[in-house]
């Protein structure tokens, strides 16, 4: 079955109502017909139903679809992408263990390693996201887990995931991949050697900027149980309404990503060579430093890319972004509406200091007409580079 078909078909059944959509049952308590059923309810923790916190028809249906799209056997739906990252860390790491994270990792995951895992006795080392097989020299006898995030959130480094996974597996460490940028359609993390695939469903899958959810997918039953157990002890439950919305988002995911990718290529093309723009960071663009790896490993892209601007005063950046008419300033990505997010990267890296002299600005291209988006950005760049406009007038 193709992914486009998988996106529209789940195994949920809800006799006798049999809606085409997945069922939303709001419930804490489930009731049991017999004493025996009640007393053995915990045996249904991993598959069946025992209590609203541990799973309901909507979360099970969504998990089944995500697992199929990730080419795994089991998925867990958790309250956010960040919860997905943390439940993996807490399930797999113990005091004395060591974890490797890319230097460009999602910033809250970085501070979680530095501030939260370290307090639990877990040490972390950051590595050059472009290290590839060179990561081998960073392993310690206690290294249990390696994170990859490809491409990286703001700076779009594409990682050699198969090479990193081979090095990790040689040393008995597991690999967890945050694959939010490409969604399960664009990058099959498990196929490329990861043991765990994490998504912030809040982004492309939700797709409408109106829900927060995450997923963790694995291909191994023991690993699933280990992570599912951690989610139980942490009390991570999800709302059936949010699962319903995420599942609705899946139905249009392929179409949205296709359109957003085409639009983003157009917008990026219109910006390339612009005097205000030093560099465009978008792996699908020929010439991007990650393009070759992206072509090798990815089956799709998304409409999220960054530009490194020529240096200018903070006031010029504010004039550019605050007066845009279509792009709104905001975190997150993957919604219907285009967004812009500036980043301060100086001091954010500990291994490979960020080299760009000017600010980095990330665009999430929505479903507006690309020509309107291009006009909005070009006008913004005129405000960013007033001297240039005078010179060319
Ligand atoms: C947004 C994001 C997360 C966190 O997802 P939330 O649902 O917002 O907690 C994790 N990783 C990446 C790459 C993200 O973009």
């Amino acid at each position: 079955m193709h992914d486009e078909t998988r996106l529209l078909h789940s195994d949920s059944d809800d006799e006798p109502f049999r809606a085409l959509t997945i069922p939303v049952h709001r419930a804490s308590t489930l009731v049991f017909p017999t004493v025996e059923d009640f007393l053995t309810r915990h045996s249904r923790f991993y598959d069946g139903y025992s209590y609203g916190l541990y799973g309901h028809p909507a979360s099970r249906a969504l998990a089944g679809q995500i697992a199929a799209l990730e080419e795994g056997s089991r998925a867990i739906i958790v309250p956010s992408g960040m919860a997905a990252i943390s439940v993996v860390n807490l399930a797999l790491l113990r005091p004395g263990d060591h974890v490797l994270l890319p230097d460009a990792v999602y910033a809250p995951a970085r501070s979680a390693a530095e501030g939260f895992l370290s307090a639990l006795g877990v040490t972390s080392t950051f590595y050059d996201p472009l290290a590839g097989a060179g990561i081998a020299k960073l392993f310690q006898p206690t290294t249990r887990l390696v994170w990859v995030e490809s491409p990286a959130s703001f700076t779009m480094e594409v990682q050699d995931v198969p090479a990193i996974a081979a090095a990790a597996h040689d040393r008995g460490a597991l690999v967890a991949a945050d694959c939010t940028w490409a969604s399960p359609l664009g990058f099959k993390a498990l196929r490329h050697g990861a043991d765990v695939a994490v998504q912030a469903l809040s982004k492309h899958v939700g797709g409408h900027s109106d829900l927060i959810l995450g997923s963790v997918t694995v291909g191994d039953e023991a690993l699933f149980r280990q992570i599912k157990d951690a989610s139980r002890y942490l009390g991570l439950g999800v709302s059936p309404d949010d699962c319903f919305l995420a599942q609705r988002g899946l139905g249009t995911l392929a179409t949205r990503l296709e359109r957003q990718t085409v639009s983003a290529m157009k917008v990026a093309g219109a910006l390339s060579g612009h005097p205000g723009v030093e560099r465009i960071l978008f792996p699908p663009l020929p010439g991007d430093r990650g393009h070759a790896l992206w072509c090798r490993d990815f089956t799709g892209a998304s409409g999220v890319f960054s530009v490194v601007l020529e240096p200018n005063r903070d006031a010029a950046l504010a004039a550019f972004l605050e007066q845009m008419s279509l792009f709104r300033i905001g975190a997150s990505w993957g919604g219907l509406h285009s967004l812009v997010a500036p980043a301060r990267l100086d001091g954010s890296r500990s291994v490979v200091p960020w080299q760009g002299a000017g600010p980095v600005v990330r665009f999430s291209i929505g479903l507006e007409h690309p020509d309107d988006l291009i006009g909005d950005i070009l006008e913004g760049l005129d405000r960013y580079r007033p001297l240039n406009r005078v010179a060319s007038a």
Side-chain angles (χ1 to χ4, degrees):
M1 197 189 287
H2 293 88
D3 280 351
E4 287 81 354
T5 311
R6 277 196 188 116
L7 290 169
L8 289 162
H9 293 271
S10 70
D11 303 333
S12 78
D13 68 90
D14 196 27
E15 296 289 345
F17 192 60
R18 304 186 70 202
L20 192 50
T21 52
I22 66 172
V24 173
H25 292 293
R26 300 192 59 87
S28 52
T29 301
L30 311 185
V31 294
F32 301 84
T34 69
V35 169
E36 185 59 18
D37 278 340
F38 178 73
L39 292 177
T40 59
R41 67 193 182 283
H42 297 302
S43 67
R44 292 183 285 283
F45 173 65
Y46 300 109
D47 292 295
Y49 301 113
S50 55
Y51 182 54
L53 179 62
Y54 302 141
H56 41 71
S59 68
R60 294 274 197 256
L62 178 61
Q65 271 185 289
I66 296 289
L69 290 164
E70 300 269 32
E71 298 181 345
S73 57
R74 292 286 221 158
I76 301 166
I77 307 300
V78 293
S80 66
M82 194 57 209
I85 292 168
S86 284
V87 77
V88 169
N89 283 329
L90 292 172
L92 303 183
L93 297 169
R94 293 291 171 270
D97 286 348
H98 173 247
V99 57
L100 286 163
L101 303 103
D103 204 23
V105 74
Y106 179 63
R110 183 183 189 101
S111 55
E114 290 170 335
F116 177 62
L117 294 180
S118 67
L120 299 176
V122 173
T123 55
S124 46
T125 301
F126 294 91
Y127 67 90
D128 178 352
L130 304 181
I135 196 173
K137 60 181 182 295
L138 298 177
F139 282 82
Q140 301 176 9
T142 54
T143 306
R144 287 277 301 130
L145 181 64
V146 180
W147 278 96
V148 294
E149 181 188 325
S150 178
S153 288
F154 268 96
T155 43
M156 304 287 154
E157 292 92 341
V158 180
Q159 297 195 257
D160 191 341
V161 176
I164 292 170
H169 293 155
D170 266 359
R171 286 156 189 83
L174 294 172
V175 176
D178 181 338
C179 308
T180 299
W181 180 86
S183 92
L185 298 185
F187 184 67
K188 304 292 188 194
L190 301 183
R191 195 196 291 174
H192 289 95
D195 303 286
V196 181
V198 159
Q199 299 283 342
L201 302 178
S202 321
K203 309 286 170 59
H204 296 304
V205 171
H208 295 70
S209 313
D210 56 6
L211 69 87
I212 303 274
L213 279 180
S215 63
V216 180
T217 305
V218 298
D220 175 84
E221 185 66 19
L223 194 53
F224 163 73
R225 290 187 175 217
Q226 201 176 343
I227 298 169
K228 179 76 181 164
D229 285 344
S231 83
R232 162 171 43 184
Y233 300 132
L234 292 166
L236 303 183
V238 292
S239 144
D241 300 286
D242 288 344
C243 294
F244 174 89
L245 287 173
Q247 206 260 353
R248 167 185 288 202
L250 281 181
T252 54
L253 180 64
T255 310
R256 283 185 284 110
L257 283 178
E258 227 173 272
R259 169 68 187 260
Q260 287 168 338
T261 301
V262 169
S263 292
M265 291 294 279
K266 256 185 125 164
V267 175
L271 300 183
S272 91
H274 189 286
V277 174
E278 187 184 293
R279 202 145 54 99
I280 297 176
L281 307 172
F282 193 31
L285 277 186
D288 186 276
R289 67 199 153 147
H291 186 67
L293 275 181
W294 182 81
C295 289
R296 188 191 72 182
D297 292 348
F298 285 66
T299 48
S302 72
V304 181
F305 71 93
S306 298
V307 297
V308 186
L309 298 175
E310 295 291 340
N312 202 339
R313 291 166 299 116
D314 288 351
L317 184 64
F320 177 177
L321 303 186
E322 291 171 8
Q323 295 168 41
M324 296 188 91
S325 59
L326 299 175
F327 285 89
R328 313 294 293 275
I329 302 173
S332 195
W333 69 49
L336 306 182
H337 304 81
S338 290
L339 290 175
V340 61
R344 287 216 165 91
L345 294 177
D346 351 324
S348 68
R349 304 288 162 83
S350 52
V351 184
V352 190
W354 174 248
Q355 294 297 341
V360 173
V361 172
R362 184 180 70 205
F363 296 102
S364 173
I365 300 302
L367 292 179
E368 301 93 341
H369 195 288
D371 291 345
D372 295 333
L373 299 176
I374 290 168
D376 200 21
I377 298 177
L378 291 180
E379 283 170 25
L381 283 168
D382 281 348
R383 293 189 295 275
Y384 187 72
R385 297 260 313 177
L387 290 177
N388 188 66
R389 185 174 51 184
V390 172
S392 63

